[in-house]
Amino acid sequence: VKGARLPKGPAEAIDRGRRITITIDGRRVEAFGGDTVGSAMNAAGMAITGRSFKYHRPRGLLCMSGACPNCLVTVDGIPNVRACLDPVRQGMEVRRQNAWPGANADVMGVLDSLSFLMPPGFYYKIFHRPRFLWPLVEPLIRRAAGLGRVPRQEDHRRLERVHLHPDVLVVGGGPAGLAAAIESAQAGARTLLVDSAPSPGGHLLWVVDPVEITIGGPRVPGYQAAAHLTQEALGAGVEIVSATTAFGVFEGGLIAAFEASRLYRIRPKHTIFATGGLEQGAVFPNNDLPGIMLAGAVDRLLHRYGVLPGRRAVVAAFGAEAYRSAIALARAGAQVVVLDPTEPSEQAETARAVTSAGGRVINGATVIRAEGARAIRRVAYREAGKGVGSLDCDLLVIGGVIAPATGLLAQAGAEFALSERAAAWLPTRFPQGVAAAGHVVGARTIPSIVAQGRVAGLGAARALGLIETSTEGIETLKQAGALGEDPVGVPSPVGEGKGKQFACLCMDVTVKELSTAVKEGFDSLELLKRYTTLSMGPCQGKACLTGSSRLCARLTGRSLGDTGFTTARPPWAPIPLEILAADRLVPRKETSIHDRHQDAGAEFMWAGEWRRPHHYRDPAKECRAVHEGVALIDVSTLGKLRVRGQDAVELLERLYPNRFADLKVGRVRYGVMLNDQGVILDDGTVARVAEDEFFVTMTTGGTEAMDRWIGWWLADWGLNVHVLNVTAAFAAVNLAGPMSRSVMERLADMDVSAEGLPYLAAARGKIAGVPSLILRLGFVGELGYEIHFPSEYGEFIWDRLLEAGSEFGIEPFGLEAQRILRLEKQHILVGQDTDALSDPLAAGLPWTVKFDKSDFLGRRALVEAQAQGPEERLVGLMIDGADVPPEGSAIVEGGRPTGRLTSSRWSGALGAAVGMGWVPAAHAQDGRVVAIVFDGHVVKATVATAPFYDPEGKRLRS
Amino acid sequence: MNGSRSPAVAPIRRSPAHRLQAALGARFATEASWEIPVSFGKAEEERDAARLGVALVDITARAKVDVRGDLEKALLRLAGTPPTVRSVVTGGATGSERMHVARLGFRWALVLAEPSVGEGLLAAVDAAIARDEGMVTDVTGMLAGFALAGPKALELLSRLTPLDLVELAPGTCAATRVAEVAGVLVRPPTPGGVVELYVGSEYGRFAWETLRAAGEVLGAVPAGWETLRAEGWW
């Protein structure tokens, strides 16, 4: 009979005065405050916590520490919650997973007897012929296997991300971690301790017998010692963050941890890993039956939750921990038989304690098989010199097989070597700023664990320069930490008899499957892992890797040292994806006129990080307003640089192939910037606003890259010039159309006539009283004024321009209209019409290149390109018919692709589809007809090397 | 003649987050042509947040001047005591005690003052720095500014910046990333819990929304300039 609640014990975590009701698969289960779902299930006699991943075998509580896959349940719709850790809450609904119609009687359990159909790597091997079979079978396999169902409903919980920067981070809140944190904090270091358990103390929390923390010190019950250490740590100023799991070590010493709704990004100066040890199971037939538990799980159930997990217990003892459980079970009223593979003398004292508590010890005995259907009911064992025996039981405890929890330490870059004495891989070298203490470095007794913790804490303080370099105290502690340890038991790699022997509980990988895989040539641990999925499940090898390494060594005939272990990678512990995405920010840029666009009903689009109006109404009508009246577009997103200094001209002469030395104050010139290969990086205008000062504009998308580009070259060239990215300082609007001058005349305090402010002029003045820089440009092909002004006046200027233009029918236009208008003029868009090979000679911009300049970025490459002549040319294309081929369509000749269409739009002004595209240089002749292929049909287009609209530029110069 | 007309409406300057604050009930007042949020209508709540929690105040209207170049002598002239890198000093050539000079790098400083100082600040800084020493730029509208006032200001920032905030003691400053965008943090050398955050004005609305969202669990409330001034920080 499972689930008897015991009388109140001294180390209980439950509050018997607080009753909580939960439902499990619809059944009401009574629990106490402080219970976990797992302890409540066990107390209610529910041995089966769920069904296994592949074979749907019944599974029960195994580790009670979150280090195995056995108790994953769905809680309130959230799958894969660890029942053993999740505290009960009134009204919570729990469902056991991967079973139908229920975990106790699962129809899919039939798969257990069909395992011959699922050899290792079966998805590579079977159901592939005939070919139609796999698409039919795959969904069935996916449905049959798995771990819960992803919830469909949206989760609107607020999740946080927090950055922390302690001097010392201690990972692990057991005795080693607490001791390390105490020393570190007492030395003056800002010390943070993160612990995955709800409260610090580690395994001391469920030790009720007296223990000594220091050699010769007072003996107090373990749980009291935990409380003392915790109080000491808090008193020393340690910040303890409980229920928080460190799951990865990343570049630069970044350590990531999470709790229920928060992601921590921790950048400590020094890190101490006190991650403890991981109890391991043993491999024998039916080693996965419910009722088989690790010693730590039994201790937790007995002492923390007051639950007796079995009345007839067999304890497979590989170390002192197993005897501690055996004694506790016997004292709690269970019939206990200990199977100890060692000779009688080795555990004599503890064996006597078992006997005096009413139990029995069989020395020289090893478990070879478990028997039972839905729970364990008998254990078979082999006794040295006597043969095989069996014991009826409802609980089999595996105790004393403990592997150091080295995952995070390995991620941090520690080096490891196999310790024969500890029968484990132990760290031998640590990276700078990293230390470890306790079980993770092989310590087993409490005094040595604590002493190691103190050494690590003092070492961290010393490394931070907080304490003197005197090492006397540390050496004394080191000696204490190096005290002799209990012998480490190692179970046999395999058992005997009939039944599946699981090497990996997460993925249902058996010894037989591993053996098959090795025979197939997958004879290294890393290959075995990938082929069989060994250790790739939710526990990430915590529950199986030690045993698997031994198995692999045995199957391959290699030593354990030669077998090694698999590479440690984050995450060390399962983490909900929502936590990884916690508070993910998506920065967005908005101009100071954004709200006005919204008011006007703009449809927005992303342009890099910018939100820009795509259109306000029909883009064709917006184009017509530009051509026939006056219209306004927000171009605040243009990149803007202020360039000033005595070498400003020299800087621009080097950056651009164009010439700026002769640019007069008050004039603007177009330019492209090139890389060393002569490829176009960006384009824009350069306005000279003073003898030693220029106002440079760039494309919206290219600004940040070009700012960095210029910064790099400036650092190299050492010119006396200052460059400041003032993109956000100035809002900008382009007032365009034949009536734009009339609008300007109503607002400007300057002469804006064709004579006073001619095409490509730049002038400072006030618009509606706001100091502005006005550039006479014509990107959209009409008379236009590009007005730059302090961005905080954005709405004010926008409103004034609309007011002043109202009598002329002014209206805003968006990016789509701008794209049509610029295409009519064959003005290129860098990045759309050009690519990573486009130079200005081929792109139809040879007039921007001044070869008579002594040097500029890309000159050498362009000289070579000019000598060879371009292979392709960027040209305008007047497209036949009413269809607009999509951008990216192929330009073909004789059925073979010869070029590509880079831009295309319908032009209302021209009454035709127009585009730009790359064609062979020989085809770049006005009137040449090319073919464009899209959607399975072909249209003809005529090459035009001059602008389609106003080719002589009279309108924009007007 | 062109340009002879004077504007019929006085120019108005607004923060990028102006409308978001208006939607929260902000009351605005005009100061140096800026519409600044002076209160959100709950003076007690704002005061309590600034004293016990964290209050968020839009301070975009602060006058801001960017200085680049060889700054040692220039900052000596400007501030009296030239700040070391990552430090902030108060006072200076404008005669305004509220002027703060935040030296963000060896060749980069930011000068901050009350909105009313306005163009006077630019002129003062320009006068203190010779043309061949550096470049002075009015960046008032380029940077949106937000004051985080109260004892939980750093706790709020720890959710948004990878910077070790222990290094952000009173009288220090840092150029860092906040809410995934480039930002400047300034902690004036005055007692109290005010931290000033400046980001590019194009991120102004985003930053305001992000600060409010991150501050929700800490009980952050939007507050106006009246609170800052009443608490004696400004």
Side-chain angles (χ1 to χ4, degrees):
Chain A
V1 177
K2 302 215 179 265
R5 286 281 186 183
L6 297 166
K8 183 174 173 56
E12 276 188 7
I14 55 173
D15 175 2
R16 293 181 187 243
R18 192 158 62 93
R19 291 191 173 275
I20 289 176
T21 304
I22 64 175
T23 61
I24 301 174
D25 292 342
R27 174 186 156 188
R28 284 167 59 90
V29 172
E30 298 295 327
F32 295 122
D35 259 323
T36 66
V37 174
S39 66
M41 288 171 98
N42 202 267
M46 300 176 82
I48 298 174
T49 51
R51 291 279 172 160
S52 70
F53 174 77
K54 190 163 68 177
Y55 298 133
H56 285 249
R57 287 171 65 99
R59 293 279 164 81
L61 291 177
L62 176 66
C63 73
M64 280 294 285
S65 63
C68 81
N70 275 18
C71 66
L72 297 177
V73 293
T74 298
V75 175
D76 294 333
I78 307 295
N80 298 331
V81 176
R82 285 181 147 78
C84 65
L85 300 180
D86 200 37
V88 292
R89 298 174 295 278
Q90 184 63 37
M92 73 195 303
E93 292 183 10
V94 179
R95 296 213 163 265
R96 292 178 286 182
Q97 294 182 169
N98 208 28
W100 186 84
N104 291 339
D106 176 18
V107 169
M108 296 301 288
V110 69
L111 288 172
D112 191 26
S113 53
L114 298 176
S115 57
F116 64 90
L117 286 172
M118 292 175 273
F122 73 93
Y123 31 82
Y124 303 127
K125 296 174 178 170
I126 59 175
F127 304 129
H128 287 274
R129 289 178 193 281
R131 293 183 67 174
F132 69 84
L133 203 54
W134 180 247
L136 299 177
V137 170
E138 187 192 10
L140 299 176
I141 293 172
R142 288 191 182 281
R143 191 166 180 78
L147 294 164
R149 299 267 174 239
V150 176
R152 296 282 181 185
Q153 70 274 21
E154 289 184 24
D155 184 352
H156 295 290
R157 281 192 307 149
R158 173 89 195 156
L159 302 171
E160 288 188 298
R161 180 169 46 175
V162 176
H163 299 267
L164 298 173
H165 300 264
D167 292 331
V168 176
L169 169 67
V170 179
V171 182
L178 285 167
I182 289 166
E183 293 297 338
S184 153
Q186 284 179 343
R190 289 178 297 132
T191 304
L192 173 71
L193 184 149
V194 295
D195 187 24
S196 56
S199 48
H203 73 280
L204 288 178
L205 290 173
W206 50 88
V207 174
V208 294
D209 291 331
V211 296
E212 59 181 19
I213 295 298
T214 54
I215 299 292
R219 293 175 67 87
V220 295
Y223 63 90
Q224 283 184 11
H228 292 162
L229 284 170
T230 303
Q231 284 308 313
E232 195 179 349
L234 292 170
V238 177
E239 184 182 352
I240 298 176
V241 184
S242 295
T244 299
T245 304
F247 66 89
V249 184
F250 299 88
E251 200 171 354
L254 170 69
I255 293 177
F258 76 99
E259 58 171 299
S261 60
R262 186 177 290 179
L263 175 70
Y264 290 98
R265 294 166 66 94
I266 309 169
R267 294 182 189 278
K269 294 185 177 75
H270 199 99
T271 306
I272 298 168
F273 291 96
T275 42
L278 293 165
E279 280 196 291
Q280 305 286 290
V283 181
F284 47 79
N286 303 315
N287 60 337
D288 64 331
L289 279 172
I292 298 177
M293 289 189 194
L294 301 176
V298 171
D299 290 347
R300 283 176 173 89
L301 285 169
L302 287 170
H303 301 306
R304 299 293 283 169
Y305 306 110
V307 177
L308 181 62
R311 294 200 179 279
R312 288 179 301 165
V314 174
V315 179
F318 297 97
E321 293 84 358
Y323 274 94
R324 191 170 63 210
S325 302
I327 294 165
L329 281 166
R331 286 176 183 164
Q335 295 174 23
V336 175
V337 178
V338 175
L339 301 176
D340 187 338
T342 65
E343 292 304 311
S345 60
E346 292 188 27
Q347 299 284 355
E349 190 182 337
T350 45
R352 275 196 297 276
V354 172
T355 310
S356 62
R360 184 159 67 100
V361 178
I362 305 175
N363 283 100
T366 307
V367 174
I368 59 169
R369 186 172 64 252
E371 295 172 6
R374 293 194 299 177
I376 190 165
R377 59 180 171 80
R378 188 176 299 118
V379 166
Y381 63 97
R382 180 175 292 282
E383 187 177 356
K386 293 188 179 175
V388 174
S390 69
L391 295 163
D392 288 346
C393 66
D394 60 2
L395 175 67
L396 171 59
V397 184
I398 313 289
V401 189
I402 299 181
T406 55
L408 290 173
L409 198 51
Q411 289 176 26
E415 294 176 15
F416 294 83
L418 182 66
S419 164
E420 297 291 349
R421 179 173 173 75
W425 293 84
L426 296 179
T428 53
R429 289 182 65 180
F430 300 106
Q432 193 173 4
V434 171
H439 232 129
V440 71
V441 292
R444 297 286 294 266
T445 64
I446 292 170
S448 66
I449 286 170
V450 171
Q452 281 194 351
R454 292 192 185 280
V455 170
L458 288 168
R462 192 171 59 179
L464 294 168
L466 296 170
I467 57 172
E468 297 292 325
T469 53
S470 166
T471 57
E472 192 177 329
I474 293 179
E475 285 307 318
T476 306
L477 282 168
K478 272 187 177 172
Q479 288 167 17
L483 287 174
E485 305 290 356
D486 297 332
V488 175
V490 179
S492 169
V494 291
E496 299 174 22
K498 195 179 171 186
K500 288 189 173 71
Q501 306 187 53
F502 287 93
C504 171
L505 292 170
C506 289
M507 307 304 287
D508 273 354
V509 180
T510 64
V511 172
K512 184 180 176 186
E513 288 167 354
L514 286 180
S515 176
T516 303
V518 169
K519 285 175 187 164
E520 290 178 3
F522 299 93
D523 60 353
S524 79
L525 194 54
E526 290 284 4
L527 287 175
L528 272 180
K529 171 182 166 178
R530 283 156 179 76
Y531 187 55
T532 65
T533 67
L534 169 78
S535 82
M536 290 171 71
C539 89
Q540 288 288 288
K542 289 188 186 71
C544 68
L545 203 51
T546 302
S548 300
S549 298
R550 292 201 187 99
L551 262 173
C552 182
R554 184 174 187 265
L555 293 169
T556 58
R558 297 194 186 99
S559 70
L560 194 56
D562 288 341
T563 301
F565 57 94
T566 55
T567 306
R569 298 184 181 90
W572 167 240
I575 174 171
L577 290 174
E578 63 178 357
I579 294 284
L580 282 180
D583 213 15
R584 180 174 171 267
L585 300 173
V586 183
R588 65 174 196 280
K589 297 178 178 178
E590 288 159 338
T591 77
S592 58
I593 314 170
H594 183 88
D595 288 335
R596 290 293 186 262
H597 305 321
Q598 209 152 21
D599 294 342
E603 289 287 329
F604 288 93
M605 62 173 281
W606 287 100
E609 284 188 339
W610 286 100
R611 300 290 287 153
R612 300 195 67 183
H614 180 267
H615 64 271
Y616 301 83
R617 56 178 191 137
D618 181 2
K621 290 180 179 169
E622 294 176 10
C623 290
R624 199 178 308 142
V626 175
H627 282 316
E628 298 174 3
V630 58
L632 188 63
I633 183 171
D634 180 358
V635 291
S636 304
T637 61
L638 282 174
K640 310 169 198 83
L641 296 185
R642 187 185 185 201
V643 179
R644 203 194 76 176
Q646 67 182 41
D647 293 334
V649 169
E650 180 63 21
L651 173 67
L652 298 175
E653 288 290 302
R654 294 188 192 188
L655 287 173
Y656 289 87
N658 211 342
R659 195 189 321 282
F660 293 99
D662 62 353
L663 185 68
K664 291 185 170 51
V665 173
R667 297 294 295 172
V668 189
R669 188 167 289 165
Y670 174 80
V672 293
M673 272 196 268
L674 315 176
N675 66 11
D676 294 327
Q677 289 75 47
V679 170
I680 297 172
L681 295 177
D682 204 66
D683 70 346
T685 60
V686 177
R688 192 165 198 168
V689 295
E691 279 301 326
D692 65 346
E693 184 171 342
F694 295 83
F695 184 79
V696 177
T697 67
M698 289 160 295
T699 62
T700 297
T703 306
E704 286 176 20
M706 296 320 299
D707 189 22
R708 285 196 298 273
W709 173 255
I710 294 170
W712 292 333
W713 284 109
L714 203 52
D716 183 43
W717 292 335
L719 298 172
N720 184 6
V721 58
H722 301 285
V723 178
L724 183 64
N725 183 347
V726 292
T727 300
F730 296 100
V733 293
N734 183 10
L735 183 73
M739 302 307 294
S740 57
R741 181 168 292 128
S742 301
V743 178
M744 285 293 284
E745 284 171 350
R746 280 158 175 73
L747 294 173
D749 69 346
M750 55 193 292
D751 182 1
V752 294
S753 68
E755 298 76 29
L757 192 65
Y759 182 60
L760 295 182
R764 292 190 189 280
K766 284 189 175 177
I767 303 295
V770 175
S772 306
L773 174 68
I774 300 110
L775 311 179
R776 267 294 309 277
L777 299 172
F779 187 59
V780 293
E782 297 288 353
L783 168 66
Y785 300 85
E786 192 171 284
I787 310 164
H788 297 259
F789 52 94
S791 59
E792 65 269 29
Y793 291 106
E795 291 185 350
F796 177 78
I797 292 285
W798 185 264
D799 291 346
R800 299 292 83 75
L801 286 166
L802 289 178
E803 282 170 12
S806 60
E807 66 180 281
F808 307 104
I810 192 170
E811 60 180 87
F813 67 103
L815 270 185
E816 179 58 19
Q818 188 196 46
R819 287 177 176 182
I820 296 168
L821 295 162
R822 70 92 195 174
L823 199 51
E824 292 170 350
K825 292 293 292 179
Q826 292 189 18
H827 290 153
I828 68 164
L829 283 184
V830 173
Q832 171 148 335
D833 298 310
T834 66
D835 59 25
L837 297 172
S838 307
D839 68 42
L841 305 179
L845 302 168
W847 53 275
T848 64
V849 181
K850 307 301 178 192
F851 283 111
D852 58 342
K853 289 191 347 180
S854 60
D855 199 11
F856 56 83
L857 289 175
R859 184 178 190 280
R860 187 170 172 177
L862 287 188
V863 168
E864 200 172 313
Q866 189 185 38
Q868 292 179 350
E871 292 181 7
E872 288 185 307
R873 286 277 309 276
L874 180 64
V875 297
L877 295 164
M878 182 71 80
I879 301 161
D880 289 357
D883 290 334
V884 180
E887 290 163 349
S889 297
I891 296 171
V892 300
E893 184 168 282
R896 295 179 56 194
T898 57
R900 62 210 173 274
L901 186 71
T902 58
S903 297
S904 59
R905 288 289 188 279
W906 179 264
S907 164
L910 299 167
V914 292
M916 293 183 76
W918 289 88
V919 298
H923 298 180
Q925 300 162 350
D926 284 322
R928 170 92 187 204
V929 176
V930 298
I932 300 171
V933 179
F934 71 101
D935 290 344
H937 61 282
V938 178
V939 295
K940 289 186 176 169
T942 306
V943 171
T945 57
F948 305 111
Y949 183 80
D950 185 26
E952 294 172 356
K954 288 179 181 172
R955 296 179 71 88
L956 58 87
R957 286 183 170 81
S958 60
Chain B
M1 173 191 163
N2 291 321
S4 60
R5 300 176 193 187
S6 58
V9 183
I12 294 170
R13 303 202 269 184
R14 284 179 177 158
S15 153
H18 180 276
R19 182 170 292 194
L20 299 176
Q21 288 151 10
L24 292 170
R27 177 167 55 83
F28 296 93
T30 304
E31 192 170 315
S33 77
W34 280 94
E35 283 187 350
I36 61 169
V38 290
S39 168
F40 284 79
K42 296 175 183 172
E44 253 181 53
E45 189 184 340
E46 293 178 30
R47 186 200 61 205
D48 288 350
R51 289 181 183 176
L52 305 171
V54 57
L56 304 173
V57 187
D58 187 334
I59 55 168
T60 301
R62 292 206 81 188
K64 313 174 202 79
V65 172
D66 180 285
V67 191
R68 312 263 171 156
D70 296 326
L71 300 182
E72 285 301 321
K73 291 176 187 169
L75 293 181
L76 179 66
R77 288 193 293 272
L78 180 67
T81 308
T84 55
V85 172
R86 293 197 62 178
S87 70
V88 184
V89 296
T90 306
T94 63
S96 165
E97 289 183 1
R98 296 299 187 188
M99 185 180 85
H100 292 135
V101 182
R103 189 164 187 185
L104 293 157
F106 188 68
R107 295 171 59 82
W108 179 23
L110 204 55
V111 187
L112 307 157
E114 290 276 334
S116 56
V117 179
E119 290 181 2
L121 180 71
L122 181 65
V125 178
D126 216 14
I129 293 167
R131 198 166 176 86
D132 62 349
E133 281 180 327
M135 183 167 77
V136 176
T137 308
D138 183 353
V139 292
T140 299
M142 186 163 113
L143 299 173
F146 304 99
L148 287 68
K152 292 184 178 175
L154 295 182
E155 194 179 344
L156 170 52
L157 276 176
S158 76
R159 286 155 166 75
L160 298 173
T161 178
L163 182 75
D164 185 353
L165 293 167
V166 168
E167 297 171 15
L168 197 68
T172 64
C173 59
T176 183
R177 290 190 75 75
V178 181
E180 308 291 349
V181 303
V184 168
L185 290 168
V186 177
R187 191 116 186 247
T190 47
V194 174
V195 181
E196 296 169 16
L197 163 65
Y198 297 98
V199 298
S201 61
E202 71 272 35
Y203 290 118
R205 288 160 60 100
F206 166 75
W208 173 256
E209 288 172 354
T210 304
L211 283 170
R212 290 207 62 223
E216 198 178 327
V217 291
L218 301 173
V221 300
W225 286 48
E226 281 178 356
T227 299
L228 281 183
R229 285 171 168 158
E231 293 300 304
W233 285 319
W234 282 28

